[in-house]
Amino acid sequence: MIKVATAECFTHGHIAREIHGFSQGYDGEFGPNYNLLNGIPYDLSVVCGIFAPTLSALQKVLKVDPPEPLKLIRGIKVYDEENDKKVAVIMAKAVKDLLGANIGIGTTAGIGRGGIAVSTDEYTVVASSGFYADITTHDSSRLLKRQECGIKKALSIFVDVINDDWDKLMEYDDVYVLDK
Amino acid sequence: MIKVATAECFTHGHIAREIHGFSQGYDGEFGPNYNLLNGIPYDLSVVCGIFAPTLSALQKVLKVDPPEPLKLIRGIKVYDEENDKKVAVIMAKAVKDLLGANIGIGTTAGIGRGGIAVSTDEYTVVASSGFYADITTHDSSRLLKRQECGIKKALSIFVDVINDDWDKLMEYDDVYVLDK
């Protein structure tokens, strides 16, 4: 059984719920919203999915010390894309280690396309959502679009990682890999 | 500003996202799905929303020692209704304390109507979702219905708690209050 844990900001916990719904065999409205996990021949368990929009959630739950945000909106951290990617990596690694999971997924997006990280014990795959938005504008339709792109991108990378499919991982135009 | 933290099982993080969407002023598909928070004259912040379906999430993230579950499904805790209510209280208090929040919300449901708890520094309101389901049957439509009832009930109690509206709190047929 592959244990998965997520620490999510702009994806609002949807990634955890998507993998959970798939792993439990739920269908209809209670099941997965995307078809990206269909056919994965693995036994999965989402041990925990943490929606961590604020700086204090990262500090108090994940016990990490992230970079200083550009600003805070009601405690919500706002980074540029470069730091979002760094923080997504910190979140993915921290939540994996905290839960003793095999795979950790981290997401965060302030101003830019955001950061997505999928960590195993050996490496971390880093990407953006591919869609630009700015959390400080409160533009719901753009934030929704960035969220949907981020969820799909993260799930797609997650599938490639558990399938150990490096050819597919190298096909994304904005993916890079960090060693442990 | 009222800081809110949730630790959710059968409500899958929807309560945190609902309050977050409202507090951020998001609209459309990105905003709240229910109209239960409209008109609350308070500045809210969701500091963290933890989807904690497994026993190990409670132990490793919330640092609590819950009762022994009836069974585990891929690590997911299954309780009867009596213990779900006890565990929801443990979750609500633990997540409130962990995040230094003003209000903590806990939810969990195995076999029965589930448990919902809304904790302040002074007291905890405990209820069920009002709808029976059994997680071990994997009946998605019943589990969805219980989830929707649980989200609405929790949000409704949350509003009554922050409005300090004891008349409304006493109108539910299955609510009781624990002192600190």
Side-chain angles (χ1 to χ4, degrees):
Chain A
M1 189 171 76
I2 297 174
K3 290 193 266 183
V4 185
T6 77
E8 306 181 45
C9 183
F10 78 115
T11 53
H12 287 184
H14 287 289
I15 296 168
R17 217 173 33 263
E18 188 78 8
I19 301 171
H20 179 74
F22 171 78
S23 69
Q24 289 287 99
Y26 296 142
D27 54 24
E29 203 182 322
F30 204 59
N33 290 318
Y34 303 92
N35 291 322
L36 290 165
L37 301 172
N38 287 352
I40 306 181
Y42 297 99
D43 188 15
L44 304 173
S45 171
V46 174
V47 284
C48 193
I50 300 173
F51 170 45
T54 62
L55 191 64
S56 67
L58 299 193
Q59 294 165 331
K60 292 177 180 172
V61 180
L62 297 178
K63 316 286 186 197
V64 296
D65 187 23
E68 186 78 18
L70 292 172
K71 64 185 289 186
L72 293 173
I73 303 173
R74 284 196 190 75
I76 298 169
K77 58 200 161 28
V78 179
Y79 291 110
D80 62 13
E81 190 172 306
E82 187 184 346
N83 266 337
D84 270 329
K85 286 181 174 173
K86 284 183 190 164
V87 174
V89 172
I90 291 170
M91 292 166 76
K93 288 183 175 180
V95 79
K96 181 178 77 64
D97 292 346
L98 178 64
L99 274 306
N102 303 103
I103 296 181
I105 300 175
T107 71
T108 175
I111 299 167
R113 297 172 302 169
I116 293 166
V118 180
S119 273
T120 72
D121 287 337
E122 283 80 40
Y123 59 88
T124 299
V125 180
V126 189
S128 83
S129 73
F131 186 84
Y132 179 94
D134 180 346
I135 194 175
T136 65
T137 65
H138 292 262
D139 179 339
S140 295
S141 65
R142 284 198 75 86
L143 294 173
L144 175 66
K145 174 80 174 164
R146 181 172 68 180
Q147 181 183 75
E148 288 174 340
C149 289
I151 295 164
K152 289 181 194 170
K153 185 78 159 278
L155 289 171
S156 181
I157 292 173
F158 169 72
V159 169
D160 297 339
V161 164
I162 63 173
N163 281 335
D164 206 25
D165 190 341
W166 287 91
D167 289 341
K168 280 198 71 185
L169 279 171
M170 291 303 109
E171 278 174 18
Y172 300 96
D173 59 5
D174 68 344
V175 160
Y176 58 89
V177 180
L178 303 174
D179 286 334
K180 185 182 178 187
Chain B
M1 189 171 75
I2 298 174
K3 290 193 264 181
V4 185
T6 77
E8 307 181 44
C9 183
F10 78 116
T11 53
H12 287 184
H14 287 289
I15 295 168
R17 218 175 30 267
E18 188 77 8
I19 301 172
H20 178 74
F22 171 77
S23 70
Q24 289 287 98
Y26 296 143
D27 54 23
E29 202 182 324
F30 205 58
N33 289 317
Y34 304 92
N35 292 322
L36 291 165
L37 302 173
N38 286 352
I40 307 181
Y42 297 100
D43 189 15
L44 304 173
S45 171
V46 174
V47 284
C48 192
I50 300 173
F51 170 45
T54 61
L55 190 64
S56 68
L58 299 194
Q59 294 164 332
K60 292 176 181 172
V61 180
L62 297 179
K63 316 287 187 198
V64 295
D65 187 22
E68 185 79 19
L70 292 171
K71 64 186 291 188
L72 293 173
I73 303 172
R74 284 194 189 78
I76 298 169
K77 58 199 160 32
V78 179
Y79 291 109
D80 62 13
E81 191 172 304
E82 187 184 344
N83 267 336
D84 270 328
K85 286 180 174 172
K86 285 183 191 165
V87 174
V89 173
I90 291 170
M91 293 165 77
K93 288 182 175 180
V95 80
K96 180 178 78 63
D97 292 346
L98 179 63
L99 275 305
N102 303 102
I103 297 181
I105 301 174
T107 71
T108 174
I111 300 167
R113 297 173 301 168
I116 292 166
V118 180
S119 274
T120 72
D121 287 337
E122 282 80 42
Y123 59 88
T124 300
V125 180
V126 190
S128 82
S129 73
F131 185 84
Y132 179 94
D134 180 346
I135 195 176
T136 65
T137 64
H138 292 263
D139 179 339
S140 295
S141 65
R142 284 197 74 86
L143 294 173
L144 176 65
K145 173 82 173 161
R146 181 171 68 180
Q147 180 183 77
E148 289 174 339
C149 290
I151 295 165
K152 289 181 195 170
K153 185 79 159 275
L155 290 172
S156 182
I157 291 172
F158 169 72
V159 170
D160 298 340
V161 164
I162 62 173
N163 282 334
D164 205 26
D165 190 341
W166 288 90
D167 289 341
K168 280 198 71 183
L169 279 171
M170 291 304 108
E171 278 175 18
Y172 301 96
D173 60 3
D174 67 344
V175 159
Y176 58 89
V177 180
L178 303 174
D179 286 334
K180 185 181 178 189

